[in-house]
Amino acid sequence: MFRSFANINYRIWFAGALVSNVGGWMQATAQDWVVLTELTDNDATAMGVTMALQFGPPLVLVSLTGWVADRFDRRHILFATQSALLALAIAVGVLLLNDVMTLPMMFAFALGFGVVNAFDAPARQAFVSDMVSTGDTSNAVALNSASFNLARMVGPAVGGLLIVAIGSGWVFIVNAATFLAMILALSMLRTGLLAPRLKNRNRGGLAAGFRYVWGRSDLRVVFVTVFLIGAFGMNFPIFASTMALEFGAGADGYGVLSSVLAIGSLIGALLAARRDRARVRVVILAAGGFGIAAFVSSAMPTYASYAVTLTFTGFMIVTLLTTANGYVQITTEPALRGRVLALYMAVIMGSTPVGAPIAGWVADSFGPRAAIMLGGTAGFVACAIGVIWVATSGRLRRAENRRFLLTLDETRPLSVVERPDPIEFSDEAAVTTPIRTAKRNDLEG
């Protein structure tokens, strides 16, 4: 389960990411609560607009961010993005502490966070495969998800308590300090152990990545599933905050709900780490499981029962996303990985501007339970699309060793072998296999 930890670079990365992710979840909790209760009068639509501005840039800038992740040193990119996120967090914290923050200003900062994260996300995702071997990529992605959700289990609860204890402005300042952990981890990495980058001389840019995804039906199914779940099912800040208000809970109650959701998410991530490789069938089944969990949670009559069902919701959503991320990484040609991952992140993050305002409007107009059921419906639709693809793709066949068992042919991880340069190859051969030339007098004798 933890085989990627044998790599010292990954251990350093994991520790820095865990600290940074805890701070990130604290800030996310504070931001959502500030918009919902301090800058508006429980306006879920404004909260949806904030999420749309924060998650929209990955979709708008996808043609640039994927090219940057493939063209430049990803470690240097992460140094720049983490430093920028630190500066933005300090700015928001200072404005909140001085009571001069307004809703339009928060919208602007949400957009700023979104622009920086648009460059950070594909570089961060692709950098994982630079640290570990191809065989450990799926495991490393799952452990990254475990780190993310362990932080999600701790961060919102701590953030909610800190909002009550010291105020939302200080939460942003604390998060700014946690970015230093990631910057320190990046500086401590042993660059000599990083995998050599494949030089991609193709100038196709985003179009090359798009053609690659469009040419594979399995990736199209994964991308559509992630879009539907991301747009309508992953609006947890809207769902949890409005349900907390419905049950009469405050900021601390909202933080606890986010942490309970992360318990199931952490379990899903750890189970994904146990699998030998990511499979598209798991993505399809998890989409249906998420739909069931969402409808069950929407029917819960009390705060406690709703919180319990969130563990199942978190388990399904992280199983889906971790498996989808690993599947995209290990089955994509390495030279195109940055652009394909940029497309993937654009779909998952860029879907929020589509779904979050709709979910916020539904929560305002019909109540939070209706918004949760909308997300569950998206899960069922995604599962149905996947099942239709399985039935029509030609990959479903009868197992060779079991008469009544069906199996699905999966796309295997790609192994790209570059053709060696003829001159370099002949030079290497000359060095490693020296040719002894006989002297003329030896031949005559």
Side-chain angles (χ1 to χ4, degrees):
M1 179 187 296
F2 302 105
R3 59 184 182 273
S4 295
F5 285 147
N7 186 306
I8 186 171
N9 276 344
Y10 187 78
R11 293 199 301 270
I12 295 171
W13 166 269
F14 186 91
L18 180 60
V19 175
S20 181
N21 285 334
V22 170
W25 280 109
M26 290 167 52
Q27 175 174 297
T29 303
Q31 176 179 289
D32 296 337
W33 197 253
V34 165
V35 172
L36 190 66
T37 64
E38 296 182 22
L39 301 180
T40 69
D41 184 17
N42 299 337
D43 189 347
T45 302
M47 192 173 174
V49 171
T50 304
M51 292 174 63
L53 290 170
Q54 187 164 346
F55 294 108
L59 181 62
V60 177
L61 300 174
V62 61
S63 60
L64 180 61
T65 58
W67 177 80
V68 169
D70 274 337
R71 176 66 180 82
F72 298 100
D73 188 305
R74 291 164 186 157
R75 180 167 164 267
H76 293 163
I77 295 172
L78 294 174
F79 269 124
T81 56
Q82 294 295 300
S83 300
L85 290 171
L86 183 153
L88 286 171
I90 291 177
V92 174
V94 170
L95 291 173
L96 286 172
L97 290 174
N98 287 279
D99 294 324
V100 295
M101 177 65 74
T102 63
L103 186 60
M105 291 171 64
M106 184 60 84
F107 286 163
F109 276 106
L111 181 62
F113 281 117
V115 170
V116 178
N117 277 315
F119 289 91
D120 183 86
R124 180 192 292 251
Q125 296 293 330
F127 189 61
V128 172
S129 59
D130 292 344
M131 289 185 288
V132 299
S133 64
T134 303
D136 288 337
T137 298
S138 182
N139 177 257
V141 169
L143 290 177
N144 267 11
S145 181
S147 168
F148 182 79
N149 286 289
L150 180 60
R152 188 177 190 172
M153 190 163 52
V154 176
V158 174
L161 293 174
L162 288 178
I163 291 172
V164 176
I166 60 177
S168 55
W170 282 110
V171 176
F172 282 86
I173 301 298
V174 172
N175 176 54
T178 65
F179 282 115
L180 295 175
M182 178 59 78
I183 294 173
L184 178 62
L186 288 168
S187 65
M188 292 174 61
L189 293 179
R190 300 183 182 181
T191 56
L193 298 179
L194 296 176
R197 293 284 302 278
L198 292 176
K199 299 298 183 181
N200 182 27
R201 299 178 177 84
N202 187 350
R203 296 176 179 265
L206 179 65
F210 182 81
R211 285 194 299 269
Y212 181 83
V213 173
W214 189 255
R216 286 181 50 186
S217 62
D218 56 333
L219 287 185
R220 292 202 303 269
V221 170
V222 170
F223 274 53
V224 169
T225 299
V226 167
F227 173 81
L228 289 173
I229 298 298
F232 303 105
M234 288 181 58
N235 298 302
F236 297 122
I238 296 175
F239 301 155
S241 60
T242 52
M243 287 293 282
L245 292 174
E246 179 167 309
F247 290 124
D252 51 347
Y254 167 45
V256 169
L257 286 179
S258 298
S259 296
V260 170
L261 178 75
I263 294 174
S265 301
L266 179 61
I267 296 172
L270 292 176
L271 288 179
R274 290 177 59 89
R275 303 187 187 100
D276 57 344
R277 69 176 188 274
R279 292 177 170 86
V280 69
R281 72 187 80 170
V282 177
V283 176
I284 296 169
L285 293 175
F290 169 76
I292 295 173
F295 269 84
V296 171
S297 68
S298 68
M300 292 297 102
T302 65
Y303 177 90
S305 60
Y306 174 70
V308 170
T309 60
L310 285 184
T311 59
F312 298 98
T313 302
F315 174 81
M316 290 299 175
I317 198 69
V318 169
T319 297
L320 187 154
L321 294 179
T322 301
T323 306
N325 189 311
Y327 186 83
V328 170
Q329 289 215 42
I330 66 177
T331 64
T332 296
E333 181 180 338
L336 290 170
R337 188 173 288 145
R339 275 163 289 182
V340 172
L341 282 172
L343 281 170
Y344 175 83
M345 298 307 298
V347 168
I348 191 172
M349 299 176 71
S351 59
T352 300
V354 176
I358 296 175
W361 174 79
V362 171
D364 281 337
S365 302
F366 306 100
R369 299 178 189 274
I372 295 172
M373 286 190 286
L374 176 64
T377 302
F380 289 134
V381 172
C383 182
I385 292 172
V387 170
I388 293 172
W389 172 78
V390 169
T392 59
S393 64
R395 298 189 180 203
L396 191 66
R397 59 182 176 80
R398 186 163 52 182
E400 296 178 357
N401 56 345
R402 300 285 294 274
R403 183 175 181 181
F404 298 105
L405 181 66
L406 296 177
T407 185
L408 180 67
D409 291 334
E410 298 275 2
T411 300
R412 297 281 179 166
L414 294 178
S415 178
V416 179
V417 180
E418 291 186 317
R419 185 173 62 183
D421 185 280
I423 298 177
E424 292 180 359
F425 181 79
S426 62
D427 289 343
E428 291 177 2
V431 172
T432 56
T433 56
I435 300 174
R436 180 177 181 274
T437 304
K439 296 180 180 179
R440 176 182 295 272
N441 56 0
D442 290 339
L443 294 175
E444 293 175 352

